[in-house]
Amino acid sequence: MAERVGVYICHCGSNIAGTVDVESLAQWAKDTLDGVVLARDYKFMCSSLGQELIEEDIKEQGLTRVVVAACSPHLHEKTFRKACSNAGLNPYLCHMVSLREQVSWVTEDKVAAFEKAKALLAAGVRRVHLHEELEPTEVPVNPNTLVVGGGIAGIQASLELADAGYPVYLVEREPSIGGHMAQFDKTFPTLDCAACILTPKMSDVGGHPNIHLMSYAEVEEVTGYVGNFSARIRKKARYINEADCTGCGICIEKCPKRVVDDVFEVGLGYRKAVYRPFPQAVPKFPVIDREDCTYFERGTCRACEKFCPTEAIDFEQVDEYVDLEVGNVILATGYDLFDCTKIPQYGYGRLANVFTSLEFERMCNAAGPTEGKIVLRDGVTTPKSVALIHCVGSRDKRHNPYCSAVCCMSALKFGHLVMEKTGAEVTSFYIDMRPLHKNYEEFYDRLQQEGMHFVRGRVAEVSDAARRPGEEGKLIVQAEDTLIGRQRRIPVDMVILLGALQPRADAKETALRFGISCSMDGWFTERHPKLDPVATMTDGLFIAGTCQGPKDIPDSVAQGAAASARVQGMISVGTVLIEPIVASIEEARCSGCRICNNLCPFNAIDYLEDKAVSTINAALCKGCGTCVAACPAQAITGAHFNYDQITAELEGILFDAPRGNGRHARRLEPALEPAS
Amino acid sequence: MSEQTFEPKIVAFLCNWCSYRAADLAGTARMKYEPNIRILRVMCSGRVDPTFVLKAFALGADGVMIAGCHPGECHYLEQNYKAMRRYEMLSHTLKVMGVEPERLRLQWASAAEGAQLSAAINDMVEKVRRLGPLSWAGNWSENGYHLEAIERLAEEHAEAMEVPA
Amino acid sequence: MTKPKLALYWAASCGGCEIAVLAIDDKILKVAEAFDIVLWPVAIDAKVRDIEKMPDKSIDVCLFNGGIRNSEQEYMAQLLRRKSKILVAFGSCAHEGCIPGLANLYDRQSIFEYVYMQSPSVDNPQGILPQPEYQAPEGTLHLPVFYDTLKTLDQTVDVEYYVPGCPPEAENIWGVVEAVVAGLGGAPLPPPGTVLGKETTVCDECERTRAEKKIKAFKRTWEIKPEAETCLLEQGLVCAGIATRAGCGALCPKVNSPCIGCHGPNAGVEDFGARMMTALASVIDSQDPNEIQRIIEAGIPDPVGTFYRFSLAHSLLRRSALGGNGNGRGLKVPVPVPQAEVNP
Amino acid sequence: MSYAYYPGCSLTHSAEPYDLSTRAICEAFGLALAEIDDWNCCGATEYISINKAGAYGLVGRNLALASEQEGVRELVAPCSACYLNLRKVDHNMGVYPSIEAMTNYALAAGGLHYTPGSLHIRHLLDVVVEDVGYDAIAAKVVRKLDGLRLAPYYGCLIVRPQINGGTADPEYPTHLDRLLMTIGAEVVDFPLKTHCCGGHMSQISAETAYELIRHLLQNAADYDADAIVCACPMCQFNLDAFQSQVNRHFGTDYNIPVLYFTQMIGLALGMEAEELGIGREVVAADAALAKIGSAVPEVAAPRRPRRDDKALPMPRRREEV
């Protein structure tokens, strides 16, 4: 059956009509293009009157295809598809041609604009002839949610979901939840103690009937699609039976092996081979670190086992795998601190009294290695002067071009704490002060009142090479003070480096495992930077907290809550529609060569050993068409972007190009007459 | 068509998520660029089958642009790398076929890079304009004197047949 | 009842297809029994002028092998088209141009210069090249005009069916003969334009075990000793079985040699080389453009010969550019001169 | 590999040991040095600020002569000032057409021409670490410099970011550190490694120079260095020849020998001190060199942290990638 195509050309006020002669274009389309039974131009196609026009024509003129030449399909494709479906035409039989963004707004020459409009319209009409009816599929949403990462963002997301009555699986890599916030001493700008506000939330998580907490565990594999994910969790062996352990801590006390704690104490303090990162850890169960444990090293010791009152120690434990079914996933995997040894001129790792911000947090924390005393590396001397260097590894093209967002406020907080606890002189070396949230500027003002010094300038080096009197035995911070236009050399006892917030070292692998993307820097990419900051391009996968980009505690909490609200919305609706723009394999044409098998990052392609053919799981397919383009047998078809549709569009777009004699070389016409 | 008035026709395959949005942005920002480019939307640069490029040339295009998200920023995670690989493979072959490398361009453009995309379009149009028309189909049209030869052959056969046995 | 008439003709090809017809063994007698063979220059003495005298469409089936390289072949193609009910493009040359079609990388002049002057086995001090006309004392002699571009049969005349293969396999030839005989007896024939083969690719017939593909380096056949059980492509060899129409029974992979693609592409595919390029490129295991380039350049030094070995004349581009902008003539594609082997 | 070799004036006189040791180790590493025929002064550090045309012409002539040599594209200079001048002229000729025109106008008077970019100009230190490589150097070491505490002194000229040709970090380079570790020496932290030696201030304003030299010597002394190892004749000259004046001026008693990295490599390769020009320095290196080959002092076991030890652990460097 020949298709009856209706063409609608929008004036968009004068946005299109001001450059393209829309009336002539409509006339040309009707006269020239195959199957066009009517071509109209109209002031605003997206208005309700414009949409009604299409609906009436479909009903009265029996249109079987619709082409709307107006703005970008990203604006109004949904509008016109809906108009078609209102009139009983499958929405995928409608096609949009972008005359505004691609022709009238970007072209000055009206003649050239008209020619380009003709080509785009010809392409659209040729293409729409070959469109097929498509139907989205509806799938149920599993009410369980997987939250990955037990920092403040993950905690917030889990609690909100759990409080709303939905089951949550919270997976944390370390033995305890709490994240970076648990390491901090005070929080800016209110200076309330981090533990005081965090630990209640942590114990809420630990005791919540709807939260299934899996600490010391990692997500190994995620498969499935929105509403129906399967996740495999590896629970690392704790060598302690959680069922028997009371969390009394005797094992920790009795363990003879003391090692530097590189994670929670960031190398500044010690822990035992059997340990809990900190006393308020949730869950309360300790972990035996296989790497450091004397028993695992030499085969003897077992002190913990001897003293455990409940016989909870189990050296035979092995990693355990748990398979979960969830409907949505929230990633809240956090950040890593910049490796400050990468900027050796600042002395970290070379000069004893240069510390990182996290080291300082631990030092300041009453539960930390110095019990809250601010001291030099010797462990006893109180510094009389402290320098704070901002932007270490941030705003630096050689490391990270971005601003880490929290360092200015951390520096102010550190300044306050140093002055309060030691009375030392504090100097901050900053590039720009960025206290940009509620009550932050006031905090900056307060520190200026309190007598903290501020030098605007990037530090050149931190050195122990004294030059002037008064510099001996000190660390000399050299910087250009750009406000007075002078080089300054400021001798101090202690230097604190405000290291950049960086994506987790394994962020890219994580992104790949969950099927989302990372920016060039390595932060997880949100669906829209302004309007959809916690969703990702993968339906059912949400991100919260610093894994999306540097941010402070209030923003992380807000994102955790926002992500959980998005998930609740999905669960309460109960079902989702899945786009029908997917690829499919024609089994008879597939030879099972397996070229396509590892091309799909969403694991939608499976190989069926018994039939020796590959097959596509439509629910997992996102419709990119990469496998379609790759199939050497051309056995894969991509709905709505199939080979014939695209080549038809190509033929239309080049309708006026010199064709030569096409596919066939010139033939001799008329046919040769043999002599009779 | 004289050299001065030659206006190339360039087909551009733009991915739905980054480069097509960059084109939308160029429009919204009213950036003027050469009208010689004609855009065709695909979901991902990974959908661009080398056949489409060859077909575009065979149908009379003077140049083809493939545009996608920047490496590492693909909406579909890594499919633009496949476009990159195919582009390299295709370029390798087209070189042997005598197609100037400027006629096929792989362009990365994020959704925010309207200006970069329009600059790339202008640059490509200018380069292809300088190369002149491709008119690929002209490559396989014989001069025409072969027609004479066939006719002559037919005549000779006819003459031979007129000779009485 | 008169027997149906059969014609066989040989244009630009190596002659292997003719041998292949004989390879159907004693069934050839059945062919002779079933058909009245009116033209078969390699086997019987029949004159073109007799064909010219026949009424149009009086030949029931014509198996035409070879591409169209010169004016005489074009004439014969047109003549046989006119006289035949069913014209079959028989074998890779008529179907896709085959090896003679690779000469489409050059033009007449450079082909002549190489073949008649530069080729190491040629002794032609006067530099004489073939001329379409020669003034002999007896009068003007004509030679067919040699074309710049080799055309396939269907680029010259309409073709009903294609029999793929270089050459077609004996059982497939016999299959065609049987189908045609049945068709002449009234049985339904496939629609015109059909390639008589399977609608899948060689991997379907290949016994090797296949896994997911990731290629770090393409290997040439002399570089490795392929392992007998696993997919040749996974071992780095550019095996065209993935893209080549099935029907041969995976003859080459069976003997540890990669498929080279003589059966042409799968049904509905416009460009065989593009399918090979896209499939192989997609599974290159690198995300670094420079490394990708290195892998391709090192492993595939002759891309057209690799991807279009049989199908250049039938591909979308059909030949290399003639002249700078596609319209001119005389593009000088450097003719590779084989290096003399140095004896130690 | 073969290189055009530009020794520069210093290496023919005060820094002759640098030239000797350079030629010796290059031979050992199979680096062929072809000295530029009829080379001239590079203009040292000041001339380019005083007379542009003259300075560019002077350096340009060396580049033109080197680029005429058959088959070489790499030009190596052991002196940091020469290196910087050669590189600067090549770079600026490439970037600024007016400088290119001016320089080639001057060169044309002598029938010469230089096309910027036609030579790859490199410092000897970069050539040694990049072209020979640490592994190859280590493989050739026959006498490890065990127990010798060396302060790696880069000087200020070889790590200018804009026109620096090597791969080292311009702010805090570590390739000389790594090179010295490769030949078995103990490398001390030397925070002033890229600070100025005073340059020609020693001729212009001695007190300024003494001050700068003192910082460097003090820093090396603070870290108990047995010797300072440098890669520039100016650095060596200032620190070595003026050490006694500095001592007199400040009442100090520094006694730190200053040697070239090429001499250290030569020693590690088993060459004799004499063929490397060692012995011609002002501050005698005997004491330092006596350490090599002597029995390896027993390494004290690392002190285990005691329970009552209040000291905080030092951060551990993450593994070098």
Side-chain angles (χ1 to χ4, degrees), chain A residues 213-246:
Chain A
L213 174 59
M214 288 185 259
S215 74
Y216 210 49
E218 300 202 43
V219 181
E220 290 278 298
E221 195 188 357
V222 180
T223 55
Y225 48 91
V226 56
N228 302 275
F229 292 103
S230 306
R232 166 158 284 213
I233 316 294
R234 180 166 67 95
K235 291 181 77 177
K236 292 177 274 190
R238 277 189 131 91
Y239 304 107
I240 284 171
N241 269 327
E242 293 179 17
D244 300 326
C245 177
T246 60

mmCIF file of all heavy atoms in Angstrom, chain A residues 213-246:
data_model
loop_
_atom_site.group_PDB
_atom_site.id
_atom_site.type_symbol
_atom_site.label_atom_id
_atom_site.label_comp_id
_atom_site.label_asym_id
_atom_site.label_seq_id
_atom_site.Cartn_x
_atom_site.Cartn_y
_atom_site.Cartn_z
ATOM 1 N N LEU A 213 22.350 -4.294 55.949
ATOM 2 C CA LEU A 213 23.677 -3.704 55.809
ATOM 3 C C LEU A 213 24.717 -4.778 55.521
ATOM 4 O O LEU A 213 24.799 -5.775 56.217
ATOM 5 C CB LEU A 213 24.027 -2.951 57.109
ATOM 6 C CG LEU A 213 25.441 -2.378 57.211
ATOM 7 C CD1 LEU A 213 25.720 -1.392 56.090
ATOM 8 C CD2 LEU A 213 25.628 -1.701 58.569
ATOM 9 N N MET A 214 25.485 -4.573 54.470
ATOM 10 C CA MET A 214 26.572 -5.495 54.161
ATOM 11 C C MET A 214 27.853 -4.701 54.118
ATOM 12 O O MET A 214 28.176 -4.075 53.104
ATOM 13 C CB MET A 214 26.320 -6.164 52.808
ATOM 14 C CG MET A 214 25.193 -7.178 52.862
ATOM 15 S SD MET A 214 25.049 -8.035 51.298
ATOM 16 C CE MET A 214 23.690 -7.175 50.619
ATOM 17 N N SER A 215 28.590 -4.678 55.236
ATOM 18 C CA SER A 215 29.860 -3.954 55.222
ATOM 19 C C SER A 215 30.964 -4.950 54.887
ATOM 20 O O SER A 215 30.760 -6.162 54.916
ATOM 21 C CB SER A 215 30.114 -3.297 56.573
ATOM 22 O OG SER A 215 30.472 -4.264 57.519
ATOM 23 N N TYR A 216 32.150 -4.418 54.582
ATOM 24 C CA TYR A 216 33.282 -5.236 54.168
ATOM 25 C C TYR A 216 32.850 -6.109 52.988
ATOM 26 O O TYR A 216 33.119 -7.297 52.926
ATOM 27 C CB TYR A 216 33.783 -6.082 55.340
ATOM 28 C CG TYR A 216 35.252 -6.387 55.281
ATOM 29 C CD1 TYR A 216 36.186 -5.384 55.041
ATOM 30 C CD2 TYR A 216 35.736 -7.682 55.471
ATOM 31 C CE1 TYR A 216 37.536 -5.660 54.985
ATOM 32 C CE2 TYR A 216 37.094 -7.972 55.419
ATOM 33 C CZ TYR A 216 37.986 -6.949 55.175
ATOM 34 O OH TYR A 216 39.326 -7.231 55.122
ATOM 35 N N ALA A 217 32.152 -5.475 52.042
ATOM 36 C CA ALA A 217 31.607 -6.216 50.904
ATOM 37 C C ALA A 217 31.704 -5.338 49.665
ATOM 38 O O ALA A 217 31.773 -4.107 49.769
ATOM 39 C CB ALA A 217 30.145 -6.568 51.164
ATOM 40 N N GLU A 218 31.753 -5.971 48.512
ATOM 41 C CA GLU A 218 31.815 -5.195 47.277
ATOM 42 C C GLU A 218 30.874 -5.784 46.238
ATOM 43 O O GLU A 218 30.600 -6.980 46.238
ATOM 44 C CB GLU A 218 33.249 -5.187 46.721
ATOM 45 C CG GLU A 218 34.216 -4.575 47.695
ATOM 46 C CD GLU A 218 35.484 -4.055 47.040
ATOM 47 O OE1 GLU A 218 35.377 -3.421 45.978
ATOM 48 O OE2 GLU A 218 36.552 -4.304 47.603
ATOM 49 N N VAL A 219 30.388 -4.903 45.350
ATOM 50 C CA VAL A 219 29.518 -5.373 44.276
ATOM 51 C C VAL A 219 30.416 -5.916 43.165
ATOM 52 O O VAL A 219 31.259 -5.201 42.637
ATOM 53 C CB VAL A 219 28.632 -4.236 43.742
ATOM 54 C CG1 VAL A 219 27.728 -4.750 42.643
ATOM 55 C CG2 VAL A 219 27.819 -3.629 44.870
ATOM 56 N N GLU A 220 30.246 -7.176 42.846
ATOM 57 C CA GLU A 220 31.097 -7.806 41.844
ATOM 58 C C GLU A 220 30.538 -7.644 40.445
ATOM 59 O O GLU A 220 31.271 -7.454 39.488
ATOM 60 C CB GLU A 220 31.204 -9.320 42.121
ATOM 61 C CG GLU A 220 31.986 -9.670 43.340
ATOM 62 C CD GLU A 220 33.477 -9.666 43.074
ATOM 63 O OE1 GLU A 220 33.920 -10.467 42.235
ATOM 64 O OE2 GLU A 220 34.182 -8.853 43.697
ATOM 65 N N GLU A 221 29.217 -7.726 40.347
ATOM 66 C CA GLU A 221 28.629 -7.772 39.020
ATOM 67 C C GLU A 221 27.195 -7.269 39.094
ATOM 68 O O GLU A 221 26.492 -7.539 40.067
ATOM 69 C CB GLU A 221 28.626 -9.228 38.533
ATOM 70 C CG GLU A 221 28.389 -9.353 37.052
ATOM 71 C CD GLU A 221 28.195 -10.814 36.618
ATOM 72 O OE1 GLU A 221 28.309 -11.720 37.463
ATOM 73 O OE2 GLU A 221 27.910 -10.997 35.439
ATOM 74 N N VAL A 222 26.794 -6.506 38.098
ATOM 75 C CA VAL A 222 25.412 -6.058 38.025
ATOM 76 C C VAL A 222 24.893 -6.394 36.639
ATOM 77 O O VAL A 222 25.537 -6.078 35.637
ATOM 78 C CB VAL A 222 25.287 -4.535 38.251
ATOM 79 C CG1 VAL A 222 23.838 -4.100 38.159
ATOM 80 C CG2 VAL A 222 25.846 -4.160 39.602
ATOM 81 N N THR A 223 23.742 -7.041 36.583
ATOM 82 C CA THR A 223 23.129 -7.296 35.288
ATOM 83 C C THR A 223 21.669 -6.861 35.378
ATOM 84 O O THR A 223 21.194 -6.513 36.453
ATOM 85 C CB THR A 223 23.188 -8.795 34.926
ATOM 86 O OG1 THR A 223 22.581 -9.520 35.992
ATOM 87 C CG2 THR A 223 24.605 -9.277 34.730
ATOM 88 N N GLY A 224 20.993 -6.895 34.277
ATOM 89 C CA GLY A 224 19.586 -6.548 34.278
ATOM 90 C C GLY A 224 19.353 -5.125 33.815
ATOM 91 O O GLY A 224 20.252 -4.493 33.246
ATOM 92 N N TYR A 225 18.162 -4.655 34.070
ATOM 93 C CA TYR A 225 17.758 -3.360 33.531
ATOM 94 C C TYR A 225 16.812 -2.723 34.520
ATOM 95 O O TYR A 225 16.438 -3.337 35.537
ATOM 96 C CB TYR A 225 17.069 -3.553 32.181
ATOM 97 C CG TYR A 225 16.018 -4.628 32.196
ATOM 98 C CD1 TYR A 225 14.692 -4.311 32.483
ATOM 99 C CD2 TYR A 225 16.353 -5.965 31.986
ATOM 100 C CE1 TYR A 225 13.733 -5.296 32.544
ATOM 101 C CE2 TYR A 225 15.388 -6.955 32.040
ATOM 102 C CZ TYR A 225 14.080 -6.627 32.321
ATOM 103 O OH TYR A 225 13.120 -7.590 32.386
ATOM 104 N N VAL A 226 16.405 -1.500 34.234
ATOM 105 C CA VAL A 226 15.611 -0.724 35.165
ATOM 106 C C VAL A 226 14.448 -1.562 35.717
ATOM 107 O O VAL A 226 13.741 -2.234 34.979
ATOM 108 C CB VAL A 226 15.102 0.578 34.512
ATOM 109 C CG1 VAL A 226 14.323 0.313 33.237
ATOM 110 C CG2 VAL A 226 14.254 1.389 35.478
ATOM 111 N N GLY A 227 14.291 -1.510 37.021
ATOM 112 C CA GLY A 227 13.216 -2.273 37.659
ATOM 113 C C GLY A 227 13.603 -3.686 37.996
ATOM 114 O O GLY A 227 12.999 -4.307 38.863
ATOM 115 N N ASN A 228 14.614 -4.210 37.305
ATOM 116 C CA ASN A 228 14.935 -5.637 37.452
ATOM 117 C C ASN A 228 16.434 -5.898 37.356
ATOM 118 O O ASN A 228 16.911 -6.532 36.429
ATOM 119 C CB ASN A 228 14.225 -6.445 36.355
ATOM 120 C CG ASN A 228 12.729 -6.253 36.406
ATOM 121 O OD1 ASN A 228 12.031 -6.912 37.145
ATOM 122 N ND2 ASN A 228 12.240 -5.278 35.632
ATOM 123 N N PHE A 229 17.177 -5.360 38.308
ATOM 124 C CA PHE A 229 18.617 -5.614 38.311
ATOM 125 C C PHE A 229 18.934 -6.827 39.176
ATOM 126 O O PHE A 229 18.234 -7.092 40.164
ATOM 127 C CB PHE A 229 19.384 -4.422 38.890
ATOM 128 C CG PHE A 229 19.340 -3.186 38.041
ATOM 129 C CD1 PHE A 229 18.522 -2.117 38.374
ATOM 130 C CD2 PHE A 229 20.137 -3.075 36.900
ATOM 131 C CE1 PHE A 229 18.495 -0.969 37.600
ATOM 132 C CE2 PHE A 229 20.110 -1.928 36.126
ATOM 133 C CZ PHE A 229 19.274 -0.870 36.473
ATOM 134 N N SER A 230 19.983 -7.534 38.791
ATOM 135 C CA SER A 230 20.521 -8.568 39.676
ATOM 136 C C SER A 230 21.935 -8.133 40.017
ATOM 137 O O SER A 230 22.676 -7.724 39.135
ATOM 138 C CB SER A 230 20.600 -9.918 38.975
ATOM 139 O OG SER A 230 19.343 -10.240 38.459
ATOM 140 N N ALA A 231 22.286 -8.236 41.289
ATOM 141 C CA ALA A 231 23.627 -7.843 41.697
ATOM 142 C C ALA A 231 24.253 -8.978 42.469
ATOM 143 O O ALA A 231 23.592 -9.653 43.248
ATOM 144 C CB ALA A 231 23.567 -6.582 42.554
ATOM 145 N N ARG A 232 25.526 -9.196 42.205
ATOM 146 C CA ARG A 232 26.264 -10.199 42.971
ATOM 147 C C ARG A 232 27.210 -9.473 43.916
ATOM 148 O O ARG A 232 28.037 -8.665 43.500
ATOM 149 C CB ARG A 232 27.029 -11.094 42.002
ATOM 150 C CG ARG A 232 28.091 -11.947 42.671
ATOM 151 C CD ARG A 232 28.420 -13.142 41.831
ATOM 152 N NE ARG A 232 27.358 -14.134 41.959
ATOM 153 C CZ ARG A 232 27.577 -15.449 41.905
ATOM 154 N NH1 ARG A 232 28.781 -15.912 41.681
ATOM 155 N NH2 ARG A 232 26.584 -16.291 42.038
ATOM 156 N N ILE A 233 27.060 -9.735 45.198
ATOM 157 C CA ILE A 233 27.856 -9.050 46.213
ATOM 158 C C ILE A 233 28.871 -10.038 46.770
ATOM 159 O O ILE A 233 28.520 -11.171 47.090
ATOM 160 C CB ILE A 233 26.973 -8.565 47.389
ATOM 161 C CG1 ILE A 233 25.682 -7.919 46.893
ATOM 162 C CG2 ILE A 233 27.759 -7.644 48.310
ATOM 163 C CD1 ILE A 233 25.837 -6.653 46.145
ATOM 164 N N ARG A 234 30.114 -9.586 46.868
ATOM 165 C CA ARG A 234 31.114 -10.420 47.510
ATOM 166 C C ARG A 234 31.318 -9.906 48.933
ATOM 167 O O ARG A 234 31.765 -8.774 49.129
ATOM 168 C CB ARG A 234 32.443 -10.361 46.765
ATOM 169 C CG ARG A 234 33.537 -11.217 47.408
ATOM 170 C CD ARG A 234 34.720 -11.396 46.480
ATOM 171 N NE ARG A 234 35.426 -10.140 46.251
ATOM 172 C CZ ARG A 234 36.501 -9.744 46.937
ATOM 173 N NH1 ARG A 234 37.003 -10.519 47.879
ATOM 174 N NH2 ARG A 234 37.065 -8.603 46.689
ATOM 175 N N LYS A 235 30.923 -10.725 49.897
ATOM 176 C CA LYS A 235 31.164 -10.354 51.293
ATOM 177 C C LYS A 235 32.528 -10.913 51.646
ATOM 178 O O LYS A 235 32.725 -12.130 51.708
ATOM 179 C CB LYS A 235 30.081 -10.948 52.208
ATOM 180 C CG LYS A 235 28.732 -10.309 51.994
ATOM 181 C CD LYS A 235 27.692 -10.897 52.934
ATOM 182 C CE LYS A 235 27.847 -10.338 54.335
ATOM 183 N NZ LYS A 235 26.774 -10.857 55.229
ATOM 184 N N LYS A 236 33.479 -10.009 51.852
ATOM 185 C CA LYS A 236 34.838 -10.448 52.138
ATOM 186 C C LYS A 236 34.867 -11.138 53.508
ATOM 187 O O LYS A 236 34.143 -10.757 54.427
ATOM 188 C CB LYS A 236 35.784 -9.241 52.138
ATOM 189 C CG LYS A 236 35.941 -8.657 50.737
ATOM 190 C CD LYS A 236 36.822 -7.422 50.719
ATOM 191 C CE LYS A 236 36.028 -6.175 51.008
ATOM 192 N NZ LYS A 236 36.782 -4.925 50.778
ATOM 193 N N ALA A 237 35.732 -12.126 53.607
ATOM 194 C CA ALA A 237 35.797 -12.887 54.860
ATOM 195 C C ALA A 237 36.291 -11.983 55.987
ATOM 196 O O ALA A 237 37.331 -11.363 55.889
ATOM 197 C CB ALA A 237 36.740 -14.077 54.687
ATOM 198 N N ARG A 238 35.501 -11.896 57.064
ATOM 199 C CA ARG A 238 35.886 -11.108 58.243
ATOM 200 C C ARG A 238 36.689 -11.967 59.209
ATOM 201 O O ARG A 238 37.338 -11.474 60.097
ATOM 202 C CB ARG A 238 34.627 -10.689 59.013
ATOM 203 C CG ARG A 238 33.916 -9.482 58.525
ATOM 204 C CD ARG A 238 32.824 -9.111 59.567
ATOM 205 N NE ARG A 238 32.880 -7.708 59.911
ATOM 206 C CZ ARG A 238 32.181 -6.770 59.265
ATOM 207 N NH1 ARG A 238 31.393 -7.093 58.277
ATOM 208 N NH2 ARG A 238 32.283 -5.506 59.606
ATOM 209 N N TYR A 239 36.577 -13.288 59.047
ATOM 210 C CA TYR A 239 37.153 -14.276 59.978
ATOM 211 C C TYR A 239 36.532 -14.137 61.358
ATOM 212 O O TYR A 239 37.126 -14.521 62.364
ATOM 213 C CB TYR A 239 38.694 -14.188 60.010
ATOM 214 C CG TYR A 239 39.262 -14.344 58.627
ATOM 215 C CD1 TYR A 239 39.791 -13.272 57.937
ATOM 216 C CD2 TYR A 239 39.193 -15.572 57.973
ATOM 217 C CE1 TYR A 239 40.256 -13.405 56.642
ATOM 218 C CE2 TYR A 239 39.654 -15.721 56.679
ATOM 219 C CZ TYR A 239 40.181 -14.634 56.020
ATOM 220 O OH TYR A 239 40.619 -14.776 54.747
ATOM 221 N N ILE A 240 35.368 -13.541 61.375
ATOM 222 C CA ILE A 240 34.622 -13.411 62.632
ATOM 223 C C ILE A 240 33.159 -13.710 62.312
ATOM 224 O O ILE A 240 32.617 -13.141 61.354
ATOM 225 C CB ILE A 240 34.781 -11.997 63.217
ATOM 226 C CG1 ILE A 240 36.169 -11.881 63.843
ATOM 227 C CG2 ILE A 240 33.690 -11.703 64.252
ATOM 228 C CD1 ILE A 240 36.554 -10.522 64.274
ATOM 229 N N ASN A 241 32.571 -14.599 63.069
ATOM 230 C CA ASN A 241 31.173 -14.931 62.833
ATOM 231 C C ASN A 241 30.284 -13.829 63.368
ATOM 232 O O ASN A 241 30.231 -13.592 64.576
ATOM 233 C CB ASN A 241 30.810 -16.251 63.523
ATOM 234 C CG ASN A 241 31.037 -17.405 62.582
ATOM 235 O OD1 ASN A 241 30.856 -17.257 61.377
ATOM 236 N ND2 ASN A 241 31.441 -18.541 63.127
ATOM 237 N N GLU A 242 29.586 -13.160 62.477
ATOM 238 C CA GLU A 242 28.767 -12.031 62.906
ATOM 239 C C GLU A 242 27.669 -12.509 63.857
ATOM 240 O O GLU A 242 27.260 -11.774 64.756
ATOM 241 C CB GLU A 242 28.167 -11.331 61.689
ATOM 242 C CG GLU A 242 29.252 -10.664 60.835
ATOM 243 C CD GLU A 242 28.714 -9.966 59.604
ATOM 244 O OE1 GLU A 242 27.503 -9.702 59.552
ATOM 245 O OE2 GLU A 242 29.518 -9.703 58.696
ATOM 246 N N ALA A 243 27.206 -13.736 63.643
ATOM 247 C CA ALA A 243 26.112 -14.234 64.477
ATOM 248 C C ALA A 243 26.542 -14.379 65.936
ATOM 249 O O ALA A 243 25.753 -14.189 66.856
ATOM 250 C CB ALA A 243 25.622 -15.574 63.935
ATOM 251 N N ASP A 244 27.819 -14.724 66.159
ATOM 252 C CA ASP A 244 28.285 -14.970 67.522
ATOM 253 C C ASP A 244 28.909 -13.744 68.165
ATOM 254 O O ASP A 244 28.975 -13.642 69.393
ATOM 255 C CB ASP A 244 29.331 -16.104 67.517
ATOM 256 C CG ASP A 244 28.737 -17.391 66.970
ATOM 257 O OD1 ASP A 244 27.529 -17.608 67.211
ATOM 258 O OD2 ASP A 244 29.456 -18.145 66.299
ATOM 259 N N CYS A 245 29.433 -12.840 67.369
ATOM 260 C CA CYS A 245 30.206 -11.711 67.896
ATOM 261 C C CYS A 245 29.292 -10.735 68.625
ATOM 262 O O CYS A 245 28.228 -10.367 68.140
ATOM 263 C CB CYS A 245 30.931 -11.008 66.762
ATOM 264 S SG CYS A 245 31.840 -9.548 67.285
ATOM 265 N N THR A 246 29.737 -10.313 69.796
ATOM 266 C CA THR A 246 28.972 -9.331 70.544
ATOM 267 C C THR A 246 29.564 -7.941 70.389
ATOM 268 O O THR A 246 29.024 -6.964 70.886
ATOM 269 C CB THR A 246 28.967 -9.678 72.043
ATOM 270 O OG1 THR A 246 30.332 -9.685 72.484
ATOM 271 C CG2 THR A 246 28.343 -11.037 72.279
#
